[in-house]
Amino acid sequence: MRLFNWLFKKKKGNSVSCPRCLGKGHVDRYDIKRLQMELKWEPGNCAYCNGVGRVGSEMIANVAVDEVYLTNGLSDRERLRLINRDPEAIMRAVSYEQSLENFIEEVRNLHFTDNMSSEEIAHYYLQPEMHIEYQVFILKKQELVSYINQIIGATS
């Protein structure tokens, strides 16, 4: 029993409250604003601590709290690669962040320079494809229009 207490105590001592969600296990709008990720994240389960509320020192040392790429959409394998600083995962993270920044900037330009509406911008990006159902297309378009409206609203 003493061995288990020692192991548990040691493990607990190596972890700290998650700096992304502040130990809640989920990221809310306050956390998103605090980390300046308004157009990049949505509220939900914290991807930094995997919803546990605590992280190890290796996580803090290897992955920035505001790493855009570290979201719930990452596979466990890719998450581990990112934490372990795999060069290819790092390149994918940089590419992802740059692509997102480019998309946000392009939406702003299409709206403010080319005077396109949110619907027109969404249609520009989501050309109806023959292999997807119309209902799926409409759902994707509605989600994209909502996101575009966030981008436009944040810029106004």
Side-chain angles (χ1 to χ4, degrees), residues 45-63:
N45 195 44
C46 181
Y48 200 78
C49 67
N50 260 343
V52 176
R54 300 191 67 76
V55 293
S57 55
E58 72 282 351
M59 181 67 165
I60 294 171
N62 292 341
V63 181

Side-chain angles (χ1 to χ4, degrees), residues 124-150:
Y124 171 79
Y125 283 107
L126 285 179
Q127 294 298 318
E129 298 175 22
M130 297 300 282
H131 65 273
I132 64 169
E133 291 182 36
Y134 184 71
Q135 298 291 5
V136 173
F137 170 76
I138 294 300
L139 182 61
K140 285 183 179 184
K141 186 174 180 182
Q142 289 170 343
E143 290 173 359
L144 185 56
V145 166
S146 176
Y147 181 57
I148 290 168
N149 284 331
Q150 287 179 352

